[in-house]
Amino acid sequence: MAEIPPTETLTSVEHQDSTDQPNPSVSPLPPSAEEINLPEKRKREVEPEPEPSADKAKHPLWKTSLCSYFRRSGELCSHGETCRYAHGEDELRPRPDNTWDPTSERAKKMAKTNDQDKAPEEGGIMMTEALEEDGEESSSGLSKCIVNLPMKWSSDNFRLFLNDQGIVFKSAKKKKGMIVGFVTFESEEQSKTAVEKLDGQTVGNNRTLKVSDVIQRPFENNNKAALPEKPSPDNDDENDSVLPSDSASKARSARDAVTPLAHMSYSDQLEHKKNSLAQILKRLTRNARKACPNGISLPEWILKAREIGGLPCKLEGIIESPLVNGYRNKCEFSVGNSLQGKHTVGFLLGNFREGVTAVEEPVNCPNVSRIACKYAAIFQEFLQQSCLPIWNRLNNSGFWRQLTVREGRKPGQIDADNSEASISEVMLMVQVCTLGSDEGQVKEELHRLAQTFSAGSTAESPPLPLTTLVIQDHTGISNAAPSDAPLRYNFLHRGGDSGLEIADDVVEPRIHDHISNLRFSISPSAFFQVNTLAAERLYSLAGDWADLGPDTLLFDVCCGTGTIGLTLAHRVGMVVGIEMNASAVSDAERNAEANGIKNCRFVCGKAEDVIGSLMKEYLSLPEKKDENRETSENNESGVNSAKENINSVDGVVGAENSTVVNHENGHAMSGCSEDEAKLEKDSTSQSSSNPMRQYKNVVAIVDPPRVGLHPTVIKVLRTQSRLRRLVYISCNPDSLVANAIELCTPSPDKSEKGNNKNNRGWRNMSAAGLARHRSKSMPESEPFKPMKAMAVDLFPHTPHCELVMLLER
């Protein structure tokens, strides 16, 4: 449903109720603050104000939206000429920002035109690689690039489509997951006929095809350097890449692709993000209203949403980043060809599935530090002379794939004008694919790369920090390697002028960073917030809203390396972290031990698999003491069995036994006698790790990945009655909206649950639609309600930010 301006919300209800009452009219000006705070019945009794005279300036939203009654019925509402909304396209006026009501015919036509033009404009215009088979050559005049094909099509589907259209061609290639295909013809006549038939044709779900010319981009045989921009038709090569002819004039820069808000002042960026988040949060109110079961009163927070412009709770603002430029402590640079065909280390200029594979240097990206840019330039210079090929995203072949630069900062205050002075450690990770490569040649090239990085870092003034170089071997299609991808080589800087030396001993490469005066050890693939200073503010806000205290049990769900739980550990009685990444759990335990934190336990496993048993272990009430001797012996056996499963070092659970207590044994422990409880307490290094302790305040902080929480996790959080407060940290507000629908919607009665059997069409549902569907099968439980929300800008110059919402019941 199209977004309705806040000023229309109150009046649209009056339109619906006014069909039987000819007298009411609506003030052309927005309702006053006093009127908004009045009960709903009194608002309808407010005396209407007269229509503003011609000499008075009208409200800027006067007739910029269609009347809600008119949209439903196509007729004039009972307000007549006094209605401040338009009754027809001829009355409709543009909004102050020159946009139109999205429900109007004008806006729908403009949106349709934009959708049709978007893919042909971007897709294929920055392609620098071709699906060339061995020994096949093509001429630029006889090669065409077909843009906006269905992504699920393969080359066979593409050829079948061309045959059905009566197109005669020499070869046709397309890769699944892309909207771009390549066709080669044997004659100009065939090419001309194909263009006439295909250009502008609709295929699939209203996709409009566009045909572009293809220009060959030849390279030298050894890939050492790119040839001049104007290609020579006589110098074809098996490594040729292709680029549509108009790409150079339409190509965006890396700055536009990576930091699209960089052209705005920082204050304008914050205002833009806040407004965008407000629109997303309004969807929570609308969808929760739809999801409420029939016959059950709407929650109070939905009824009050009208008073705050449709928001589910007050959006208290956005916390700015202490560091605006060069704030990223981790940058992943792709390896590929530039628009001119040069081997480049930088950022992709667009989406791969739209046929964009061109890479541009990151020199103008304000979120990247000078140190990261320098290392990217050093690696790029090395690639010009390397005998091993760069990765081809279309053919899934090559050797050099990606460079990751991770920076560790010293503790203390950071100077915003010279933030690089605080960078004390740098980890470089080069991703390669050794499949089909000669082992001897690979080892020689990697040693030469280590020497190049060492020489390049010392040549700068002042010298660049360099701690370690890691080589990651990844054979998958995407550069997003799994956390357990093998690390083939590890080069360490052992101090002095020795440079990087290969580590023959088993030394895990690490750098260190600091949050809230805690020192964190970071492994190559571990997750760590990219904006360290802003992360401090984020975690502090989450802790303040969670209302922590010595009697608080804090569940840190999706805890990663434990940064949230560890920074808040001194404010609570116990922290239980849940994380599926084993290396992250190992980092969390190591960081806890290094910082002397002994009231944290980290469990390795998927949250949906372990959260239910952990909640029972810590939150189930103690059973009454049973005098029966057999029961007592069983309890003693359970205690001893639990002891065998506990492996704690200074109160921190070991990674290899991170599931720690067998949960059935944990239940037996909760029913043990006082003597047995004392024995168990004495046998552990810290009483805080004893699950028998009952905490008065139970809080959960969740920080899930972009897809949000698993439905099983949502159900456990919702049905655990002792959990009264939940702080949701989201890097994707859309996922927060979907999860909050299930958490905050009243449970349906049994009759409605039984009728909820229609699961068809779920593949085409939005995330919010799926959440509404799942909420109808939610077990009977008390819903949460949104209390307040605030954004924290961890990503200046980009549209992204973190959103924090407090849910209570």
Side-chain angles (χ1 to χ4, degrees), residues 6-25:
T7 52
E8 185 179 352
T9 307
L10 291 175
T11 320
S12 61
V13 176
E14 297 171 358
H15 286 182
Q16 298 175 19
D17 298 337
S18 62
T19 53
D20 300 327
Q21 302 175 10
N23 293 329
S25 61

Side-chain angles (χ1 to χ4, degrees), residues 577-636:
I578 304 173
E579 172 59 41
M580 64 179 294
N581 188 317
S583 62
V585 171
S586 178
D587 282 346
E589 291 164 349
R590 183 180 287 103
N591 291 326
E593 185 176 1
N595 290 282
I597 299 173
K598 301 179 181 180
N599 62 336
C600 292
R601 170 187 175 188
F602 297 98
V603 178
C604 184
K606 292 183 178 179
E608 58 268 27
D609 295 338
V610 301
I611 190 171
S613 54
L614 282 171
M615 288 280 185
K616 289 180 181 179
E617 177 183 341
Y618 281 91
L619 302 182
S620 58
L621 294 175
E623 300 175 4
K624 263 192 171 184
K625 177 182 176 182
D626 194 337
E627 300 296 338
N628 185 280
R629 181 176 179 180
E630 182 179 354
T631 305
S632 179
E633 290 175 354
N634 290 338
N635 288 338
E636 183 178 357

Side-chain angles (χ1 to χ4, degrees), residues 153-413:
W153 279 11
S154 64
S155 292
D156 292 337
N157 301 121
F158 186 32
R159 296 187 191 103
L160 182 61
F161 168 73
L162 294 175
N163 290 328
D164 290 343
Q165 300 299 318
I167 305 297
V168 180
F169 58 92
K170 179 181 178 183
S171 65
K173 309 179 186 69
K174 183 189 177 296
K175 187 179 180 66
K176 279 188 176 181
M178 296 183 62
I179 64 171
V180 181
F182 300 95
V183 187
T184 302
F185 303 97
E186 293 182 342
S187 66
E188 290 286 350
E189 184 179 352
Q190 291 179 1
S191 175
K192 184 178 179 181
T193 302
V195 172
E196 293 175 352
K197 288 187 176 182
L198 297 179
D199 198 23
Q201 182 175 336
T202 301
V203 64
N205 295 328
N206 296 324
R207 289 177 172 269
T208 302
L209 301 182
K210 179 181 178 181
V211 183
S212 299
D213 291 334
V214 172
I215 296 178
Q216 295 292 330
R217 290 292 187 186
F219 300 91
E220 295 181 1
N221 291 336
N222 57 6
N223 276 336
K224 290 183 179 180
L227 291 181
E229 284 193 38
K230 291 185 178 180
S232 170
D234 298 327
N235 189 10
D236 290 339
D237 183 78
E238 63 179 2
N239 293 321
D240 282 357
S241 297
V242 295
L243 179 73
S245 58
D246 58 350
S247 61
S249 61
K250 293 185 179 180
R252 297 182 301 167
S253 67
R255 178 186 176 94
D256 294 333
V258 177
T259 54
L261 302 186
H263 66 283
M264 303 169 61
S265 67
Y266 189 51
S267 59
D268 289 343
Q269 292 181 32
L270 295 177
E271 187 65 23
H272 171 79
K273 293 182 181 184
K274 182 181 176 181
N275 294 336
S276 298
L277 289 175
Q279 298 304 315
I280 293 175
L281 289 177
K282 289 178 184 178
R283 294 209 298 265
L284 170 56
T285 306
R286 294 197 300 269
N287 282 279
R289 181 188 292 269
K290 294 178 183 178
C292 284
N294 295 328
I296 297 180
S297 301
L298 292 176
E300 183 182 7
W301 66 269
I302 293 182
L303 297 176
K304 288 186 175 181
R306 185 175 300 172
E307 301 175 5
I308 52 177
L311 294 171
C313 59
K314 183 179 179 182
L315 180 58
E316 298 196 346
I318 180 168
I319 299 176
E320 64 183 50
S321 172
L323 200 61
V324 178
N325 295 320
Y327 59 85
R328 290 193 66 95
N329 57 39
K330 178 184 178 183
C331 291
E332 296 176 330
F333 299 114
S334 299
V335 175
N337 290 318
S338 68
L339 290 168
Q340 291 73 36
K342 179 181 179 181
H343 291 351
T344 305
V345 178
F347 295 122
L348 287 168
L349 294 181
N351 200 316
F352 171 72
R353 65 174 173 265
E354 295 177 353
V356 179
T357 64
V359 177
E360 186 178 282
E361 299 174 35
V363 290
N364 293 320
C365 299
N367 58 344
V368 181
S369 70
R370 181 189 67 89
I371 291 176
C373 288
K374 285 290 184 181
Y375 278 116
I378 293 171
F379 187 37
Q380 176 174 307
E381 187 64 27
F382 171 84
L383 292 180
Q384 311 308 319
Q385 306 297 327
S386 176
C387 59
L388 295 174
I390 65 172
W391 184 255
N392 186 305
R393 291 173 178 80
L394 296 177
N395 294 329
N396 299 326
S397 62
F399 183 80
W400 304 108
R401 302 186 61 148
Q402 181 177 273
L403 169 67
T404 300
V405 181
R406 303 197 74 157
E407 303 167 355
R409 289 174 166 81
K410 297 180 291 188
Q413 198 71 20

Side-chain angles (χ1 to χ4, degrees), residues 688-705:
S688 60
S689 63
N690 186 356
M692 288 167 36
R693 176 178 175 181
Q694 293 297 314
Y695 295 92
K696 296 180 181 179
N697 185 29
V698 182
V699 180
I701 296 180
V702 299
D703 187 9

